[in-house]
Amino acid sequence: MEPGTVTEAELQKVGKILLNSNASLAERFRALFTLMSINGPDAVNIICETFKDPSELLKHELAFCLGQMQDLTALPKLGEVLEDTNEAIIVRHEAGEAIGALGQMDSLPLLNKYLDHESKVLRQTCELAVMRIKHVNSEKSGPDSPFTSVDPAPAFNQNKTCKELADILLDSERTLFDRYRAMFSLRNLSTPESIDALVKGLDCDDSALFRHEVAYVLGQMADTHAVEGLSQKLRDMSDDPMVRHEAAEALGAVDDPRCKEILAKHLTDTDLMVKQSCEIALDMNESETEHQFQYADTLQKIRNS
């Protein structure tokens, strides 16, 4: 969506919904993704302003969207969030990943400060961000992807078999960057065999960051073949909430009647982030199962009102 097709009044109305802490989280997420599709500095400013909200889930998603929007005006705010020791690790992690997504060499000194951080999630996030920035600035490019996301690591250029990619994905002795590259290569293959390999990745590693990214990738694929693996991960109360929350959101992206039932069972989950993720995922799932034109529909609703 081009910024020029949206009036300033419409943009502010969408922003008002995002900033409204009394609105449902589902409404605010739809507004957020509407702003992401509108893009431009004004949309970025509204998203940045929303970081004052107490919801960790929402703030984590704000950072994700800023990385995807590829607007460098977001960098100062993302750096501020990354360095905020009062902020939740999952929010700081997403800010670090977004900085990596923006790909600026000038960001390396900030990211390097966290390569020995006590939080493994934050440490690994910044390590991946550093590797991605160096990679994209080395004039190397990955293969064309059927997905439109800005990924934390590029797929491999070489033609590797599904088994070769699965072996890399599941090998804890390989660098995390290579394992992520295998992950996105398996996503791009989009076969039952590649999904099976990714589902194994949900349990294969002691890195919550790694497992959460596998769940995210399976959500992008939105294939019914992954439903059972994702539902098992959502039910696993022993796993990190950042993994379970991502499994919930991945289930919300799949057009399968089983997902609604699975997610509904966790609307009273003891972890707030998981509970809220299931609320959002059910809203997303409704969009999928009713074949709505798009999830980010706040602007259209405003125009129809």
Side-chain angles (χ1 to χ4, degrees):
M1 187 182 300
E2 293 296 327
T5 67
V6 181
T7 68
E8 177 64 22
E10 288 173 334
L11 181 69
Q12 292 304 319
K13 285 181 180 179
V14 177
K16 188 174 181 180
I17 295 171
L18 175 60
L19 289 161
N20 183 8
S21 59
N22 292 320
S24 72
L25 205 55
E27 287 180 288
R28 299 177 77 189
F29 263 63
R30 286 187 182 240
L32 170 60
F33 281 93
T34 299
L35 287 170
M36 184 177 77
S37 66
I38 293 171
N39 214 321
D42 291 337
V44 168
N45 288 339
I46 294 171
I47 293 172
C48 288
E49 186 181 348
T50 315
F51 276 104
K52 63 188 179 184
D53 196 87
S55 170
E56 294 175 4
L57 180 65
L58 179 61
K59 287 186 286 190
H60 137 280
E61 208 72 21
L62 298 174
F64 168 78
C65 288
L66 289 175
Q68 297 300 301
M69 291 163 78
Q70 293 289 283
D71 190 317
L72 299 184
T73 62
L75 274 172
K77 186 63 179 181
L78 289 168
E80 178 185 317
V81 174
L82 174 60
E83 298 218 84
D84 186 353
T85 57
N86 293 317
E87 194 57 87
I89 288 295
I90 192 168
V91 181
R92 297 174 70 191
H93 131 74
E94 203 66 52
E97 185 171 295
I99 291 169
L102 291 171
Q104 300 302 296
M105 291 293 287
D106 289 348
S107 297
L108 292 181
L110 172 60
L111 293 166
N112 284 332
K113 288 169 58 176
Y114 293 92
L115 296 184
D116 58 354
H117 194 271
E118 61 184 4
S119 165
K120 186 173 184 178
V121 166
L122 199 56
R123 186 169 70 242
Q124 290 184 326
T125 297
C126 291
E127 173 190 327
L128 286 164
V130 167
M131 293 291 290
R132 183 189 185 277
I133 290 172
K134 290 180 177 179
H135 185 90
V136 299
N137 283 279
S138 66
E139 299 184 359
K140 297 176 183 177
S141 61
D144 290 337
S145 168
F147 299 84
T148 58
S149 57
V150 181
D151 301 321
F156 282 112
N157 282 313
Q158 306 95 326
N159 290 323
K160 296 183 182 295
T161 66
C162 184
K163 183 181 184 308
E164 288 172 330
L165 292 169
D167 286 345
I168 296 171
L169 178 81
L170 303 175
D171 184 357
S172 60
E173 298 300 314
R174 298 290 293 254
T175 66
L176 197 59
F177 192 69
D178 276 351
R179 297 177 73 194
Y180 265 54
R181 296 191 72 183
M183 187 189 306
F184 290 104
S185 298
L186 287 164
R187 178 200 64 184
N188 293 351
L189 285 179
S190 292
T191 64
E193 292 76 18
S194 71
I195 294 171
D196 287 339
L198 288 165
V199 167
K200 288 180 182 178
L202 289 171
D203 290 314
C204 79
D205 203 270
D206 66 350
S207 168
L209 182 71
F210 177 85
R211 294 194 303 279
H212 116 287
E213 196 69 21
V214 172
Y216 167 74
V217 162
L218 289 170
Q220 283 189 298
M221 297 170 81
D223 194 299
T224 58
H225 193 63
V227 168
E228 183 55 33
L230 287 167
S231 63
Q232 287 181 9
K233 185 51 57 179
L234 175 58
R235 291 193 296 263
D236 185 359
M237 302 293 288
S238 67
D239 209 335
D240 193 294
M242 77 179 296
V243 182
R244 297 182 61 229
H245 115 80
E246 203 67 63
E249 291 196 2
L251 287 166
V254 184
D255 183 3
D256 187 306
R258 292 174 294 170
C259 296
K260 185 174 182 180
E261 181 181 351
I262 294 163
L263 291 164
K265 290 179 180 178
H266 290 272
L267 288 175
T268 55
D269 200 277
T270 55
D271 186 273
L272 179 61
M273 177 165 285
V274 175
K275 174 182 178 295
Q276 291 181 334
S277 294
C278 290
E279 293 172 8
I280 298 302
L282 281 168
D283 187 53
M284 292 169 56
N285 190 256
E286 180 180 343
S287 176
E288 291 292 331
T289 56
E290 294 185 5
H291 305 289
Q292 296 177 11
F293 181 67
Q294 60 177 359
Y295 176 70
D297 62 353
T298 305
L299 183 63
Q300 193 60 48
K301 288 178 178 177
I302 289 170
R303 287 173 171 172
N304 291 340
S305 64

